[in-house]
Amino acid sequence: MRKSILALLALALVLSLGGAAFAAKDTLVVADQYDATTLDPIRHNDYPSSRACHQIYDTLIFLNDDGSFRPGLAEKWEFVSGTAYKMYLRKGVKFHNGEELKAVDVKFSLERATTELGAQIKTYSQDLKEVEIVDDYTVILHLKKENFPFFASLSHSWGSIVNKKEVEAQGENYGTPAGTAVGTGPFKFGKWDKGDKYTFERYDDYWDGKAQYKTLVVRSIPEPTARTVGLETGEVDIAYPTTTTELKRVEENPDLVLQRKPLASTTYMGFNTTKKPFDDPRVRQAFNAAIDTVGIQKAVFRGVGKTPRTLIPSNIKYSINDEIPEHKRDLEAAKKLFAEAGVKTDGWKVQIWTNERKERVDMATIIQAQLQELGITAEIKVLEWGAYLDGLKKKEHDMFLLGWGLSVPDPDYAVAGLLETGAGTNYTFFSDAKLDELLAKGRAMSDGPERAQVYKDMQLFINEQCPMLFLHNDESLVGVQKKLKGFSSSPFDVHTFYTASFEE
């Protein structure tokens, strides 16, 4: 009965998409799990917002699926020195408001990211000193110090080039439903119904060739069954993520294709290290010993992905994931560590925060049961995506479940955004001088054995301090209509839609 009710609810949700638009084949309908939080590229560091911005804006360089780069708004570049990159801009590129892209827009965009407005993306922009304008189509990016992964980060959403005039005119409304968002990308802003969907229209003057359909609609559909039903009925053309419970349903449907790729992402349970007793590494290690991370991953994800042993995913260079023994649950060790820290577990009440993603709720539920064996009562608090991120910033949580993925394939970005002191997405609020020193050292080095050693030391230190428990390395599972051609999901989880077309 419960399954029948869920299926009916899911179908009703999907039918609200509207079949007329799909029938015209002039609209691509995408089902994402969450809505964007902002369309201002420097005020976020979450995947739904990055995916939205990717459709509107371009960056100086583009990231290929194999981790290499190709020219974007910069048609070529020169490394003048370790701290100076000369970028030659394409001529004739137009913003959605009709203005031509100029060096002044690049300077404005990148330097704006170094202000307080860019606190969320500080990890990427922090070493940018200034952008020097040589002429209308040439700029030099000057860094404060050598930062080896910085160039690669220019392909990240933070490096999106905005129109200076438009941003200044919009003020605080820029990138919100009350304002607009203006880039040079393949789609221009149409309408944003916050919490439901955003609608972008094709930009016919896109410099890299216009899309073959007119309208892009991206719906926020948290319920996985609803996303799958949308694919089955044809109301949705692309849906992600496909959960383990829906996997076979998509694979076995002759009208659908499952695009499955490994992701450089880590789902983790973090501790609020500003709160007692979570500020004590022995307490965090005790939780690590008390929880069966391997069993949880297998139970929840059913053959998708794996349990990580270190923060840097194994498909990212310098990961030592395969050198570390598999995690084993040890209740006696947990009890000993709690006792050493002076924590009495019997009757202790804690909170585990999570957003509404089903797998995370399931993981939290198993963790809750395992902690109960030690007398710890864990309350699970489930929050809507935007409210969840806002709540974490206020430091009111005890523990929380979240994912972190790399849209720039460098080990620095696997760690810095989560654990560097002051990083805008450091929701554990972990702060340690040794780790900060290792991060700075690793950033300043070019690839080689010495840099590899720095990241090995870093991973071992993080495991020792245990600001988080590693729960899952994910895969990209994207359901696609078979008649949709030209779309390939990104292994970095920021997808390009304008290349798609409908088969006649």
Side-chain angles (χ1 to χ4, degrees):
M1 176 66 116
R2 184 173 177 274
K3 287 183 179 178
S4 298
I5 292 171
L6 282 173
L8 287 170
L9 287 172
L11 182 59
L13 214 160
V14 166
L15 288 175
S16 70
L17 292 170
F22 178 83
K25 292 190 178 181
D26 251 347
T27 299
L28 180 73
V29 179
V30 177
D32 198 343
Q33 188 170 20
Y34 315 125
D35 192 13
T37 56
T38 177
L39 298 181
D40 186 335
I42 67 164
R43 295 200 187 201
H44 76 270
N45 199 11
D46 63 273
Y47 271 123
S49 301
S50 289
R51 286 191 281 258
C53 287
H54 185 63
Q55 317 311 319
I56 294 177
Y57 305 103
D58 289 320
T59 49
L60 293 175
I61 60 172
F62 291 163
L63 178 64
N64 296 318
D65 284 356
D66 63 0
S68 61
F69 303 97
R70 68 183 188 276
L73 291 179
E75 60 183 359
K76 62 179 180 177
W77 50 82
E78 297 172 12
F79 297 109
V80 180
S81 71
T83 58
Y85 309 152
K86 194 171 189 178
M87 315 294 286
Y88 298 88
L89 307 180
R90 294 181 188 277
K91 296 179 181 179
V93 173
K94 297 290 183 68
F95 283 104
H96 301 153
N97 61 2
E99 292 195 349
E100 187 182 4
L101 168 76
K102 295 286 182 69
V104 66
D105 298 298
V106 175
K107 179 179 175 67
F108 174 79
S109 301
L110 299 185
E111 290 186 354
R112 180 172 177 260
T114 67
T115 68
E116 284 302 309
L117 291 175
Q120 286 291 97
I121 47 82
K122 179 183 175 183
T123 297
Y124 306 100
S125 64
Q126 61 187 338
D127 284 340
L128 178 65
K129 181 181 179 182
E130 65 172 338
V131 178
E132 174 191 350
I133 295 177
V134 178
D135 57 43
D136 279 350
Y137 304 103
T138 313
V139 295
I140 300 176
L141 278 53
H142 294 281
L143 306 187
K144 299 172 185 174
K145 54 189 175 183
E146 288 197 51
N147 182 325
F148 180 74
F150 178 84
F151 180 79
S153 85
L154 293 171
S155 66
H156 183 275
S157 181
W158 88 268
S160 299
I161 305 304
V162 299
N163 180 253
K164 180 177 185 290
K165 179 180 177 181
E166 199 69 51
V167 173
E168 290 178 335
Q170 290 285 325
E172 286 297 312
N173 284 333
Y174 188 79
T176 72
T180 189
V182 176
T184 62
F187 295 97
K188 55 186 179 181
F189 181 80
K191 184 181 179 184
W192 186 10
D193 301 314
K194 196 75 183 284
D196 179 23
K197 68 178 184 294
Y198 53 83
T199 302
F200 296 161
E201 301 299 333
R202 178 176 67 196
Y203 182 44
D204 289 338
D205 292 327
Y206 185 51
W207 62 270
D208 201 26
K210 68 179 183 180
Q212 293 188 39
Y213 56 92
K214 290 182 179 179
T215 305
L216 171 66
V217 177
V218 179
R219 295 295 304 254
S220 170
I221 304 180
E223 168 55 47
T225 304
R227 295 194 296 273
T228 303
V229 171
L231 285 170
E232 291 173 336
T233 61
E235 300 288 345
V236 169
D237 302 305
I238 301 170
Y240 49 79
T242 299
T243 62
T244 52
T245 55
E246 305 295 319
L247 197 64
K248 282 191 176 180
R249 193 165 160 180
V250 174
E251 284 183 316
E252 293 174 358
N253 189 316
D255 297 323
L256 305 177
V257 174
L258 182 74
Q259 296 190 9
R260 182 172 182 172
K261 299 174 182 177
L263 280 177
S265 75
T266 302
T267 298
Y268 64 95
M269 185 177 82
F271 301 97
N272 180 352
T273 63
T274 65
K275 261 190 181 184
K276 289 188 178 298
F278 305 104
D279 60 336
D280 189 331
R282 293 173 297 182
V283 171
R284 304 191 296 261
Q285 286 284 7
F287 275 101
N288 190 39
I291 294 170
D292 180 10
T293 58
V294 175
I296 290 170
Q297 197 280 337
K298 289 179 179 177
V300 173
F301 291 96
R302 305 177 191 180
V304 173
K306 62 183 180 182
T307 309
R309 304 169 193 178
T310 180
L311 184 52
I312 300 176
S314 55
N315 56 346
I316 297 297
K317 61 189 173 187
Y318 309 142
S319 172
I320 60 168
N321 188 80
D322 298 335
E323 300 174 29
I324 295 175
E326 184 177 78
H327 178 265
K328 302 289 183 184
R329 189 185 191 208
D330 190 337
L331 284 176
E332 292 307 311
K335 291 175 184 176
K336 183 179 177 182
L337 285 162
F338 277 129
E340 287 177 5
V343 173
K344 294 181 179 179
T345 58
D346 195 30
W348 185 19
K349 293 183 179 180
V350 298
Q351 279 192 342
I352 303 174
W353 287 22
T354 180
N355 66 304
E356 54 207 338
R357 181 169 178 174
K358 182 181 183 300
E359 294 94 335
R360 291 179 190 165
V361 176
D362 289 346
M363 285 189 285
T365 303
I366 300 173
I367 290 169
Q368 179 187 54
Q370 292 183 352
L371 293 179
Q372 188 62 57
E373 295 178 46
L374 291 169
I376 301 172
T377 300
E379 175 196 353
I380 299 172
K381 186 174 180 179
V382 182
L383 296 161
E384 177 273 329
W385 181 241
Y388 183 46
L389 295 181
D390 287 340
L392 291 176
K393 294 172 191 175
K394 296 176 182 176
K395 302 184 182 180
E396 296 170 351
H397 55 289
D398 295 334
M399 300 177 286
F400 66 101
L401 270 66
L402 200 58
W404 179 255
L406 275 72
S407 48
V408 180
D410 189 275
D412 177 72
Y413 299 122
V415 179
L418 292 182
L419 296 176
E420 188 168 23
T421 299
T425 42
N426 180 352
Y427 299 123
T428 64
F429 302 101
F430 183 76
S431 178
D432 187 276
K434 180 178 178 179
L435 180 60
D436 291 344
E437 183 183 341
L438 286 168
L439 282 164
K441 191 175 180 181
R443 273 196 289 265
M445 300 173 121
S446 57
D447 280 333
E450 290 185 11
R451 191 170 191 238
Q453 185 61 50
V454 169
Y455 286 99
K456 179 174 183 177
D457 294 343
M458 190 184 301
Q459 289 167 86
L460 293 173
F461 181 70
I462 291 168
N463 283 14
E464 175 189 306
Q465 291 295 306
C466 199
M468 56 183 59
L469 310 186
F470 312 125
L471 299 174
H472 176 58
N473 282 150
D474 209 353
E475 294 181 42
S476 172
L477 303 171
V478 180
V480 182
Q481 293 289 342
K482 185 173 280 186
K483 61 184 175 183
L484 190 73
K485 304 301 179 184
F487 169 77
S488 179
S489 59
S490 166
F492 302 106
D493 223 17
V494 178
H495 309 298
T496 298
F497 299 126
Y498 88 96
T499 56
S501 63
F502 294 103
E503 186 175 66
E504 295 298 330

